[in-house]
Amino acid sequence: MKKLLFVLVLALAGYLYLEHTYRDGTASAPASTAQASAEPGAADSDSRIAEAFARHESNVQVSGRGVAARLLADDTSGSRHQKFILRLPSGQTLLVAHNIDLAPRIASLREGDTVEFSGEYEWSEKGGVLHWTHKDPKGAHAAGWLKHQGQIYQ
């Protein structure tokens, strides 16, 4: 019961933050955020990620949609990863670590763009990390993907 209450409070806080931010004129609501929350399943996947975050869970297969809030420099140590932060409809952020040694880079990605995703969630105190957004060359892990402007990257 306490866990459910915590998840509900987290979701409400995210909603209130977004409502305040967009109402006071400091930001404009991306059209894609409204679309994402209105589509069937979007709220369910967003709540599953919020639940995994609240419970400090990792190795959770998730899918959903978010808006690119910040583009980061590539991680070039070891396997190369394109990195960016998505803001989910709940307001939670998610760091995406997309392996560009195994999947194509999203070269056209810009802040404010909508990205759909399927991959593995790993807990972090800042909201979580999404990885395995590609096919597993060994076929042992569920294949993930990213979708941007109608094109799938995996």
Side-chain angles (χ1 to χ4, degrees):
M1 183 67 172
K2 287 182 181 180
K3 291 179 184 177
L4 176 60
L5 182 60
F6 181 77
V7 170
L8 291 173
V9 169
L10 181 65
L12 179 61
Y15 171 79
L16 292 174
Y17 169 78
L18 288 175
E19 183 70 19
H20 171 74
T21 301
Y22 296 133
R23 186 178 288 168
D24 74 4
T26 58
S28 59
S32 55
T33 300
Q35 293 168 352
S37 60
E39 291 190 16
D44 289 342
S45 61
D46 203 31
S47 64
R48 178 62 189 116
I49 294 169
E51 181 181 309
F53 176 69
R55 293 182 178 178
H56 295 205
E57 293 179 334
S58 292
N59 305 316
V60 178
Q61 196 69 26
V62 297
S63 61
R65 170 187 308 221
V67 175
R70 188 166 173 210
L71 306 181
L72 305 171
D74 288 353
D75 179 355
T76 57
S77 60
S79 297
R80 297 176 307 134
H81 288 79
Q82 179 179 15
K83 293 171 55 177
F84 54 94
I85 297 174
L86 288 180
R87 182 160 311 279
L88 304 179
S90 67
Q92 181 175 340
T93 57
L94 187 62
L95 171 64
V96 177
H98 180 59
N99 188 320
I100 53 177
D101 285 336
L102 296 175
R105 159 190 300 287
I106 306 176
S108 61
L109 183 63
R110 301 290 177 260
E111 288 181 6
D113 288 356
T114 298
V115 177
E116 294 176 59
F117 60 84
S118 178
E120 187 175 275
Y121 175 86
E122 296 289 333
W123 183 87
S124 83
E125 61 186 28
K126 293 185 178 182
V129 179
L130 179 74
H131 66 123
W132 283 99
T133 56
H134 53 81
K135 293 179 182 175
D136 179 2
K138 297 178 182 175
H141 194 282
W145 47 266
L146 297 175
K147 185 175 182 182
H148 176 252
Q149 297 178 340
Q151 184 171 344
I152 294 176
Y153 298 81
Q154 74 173 166

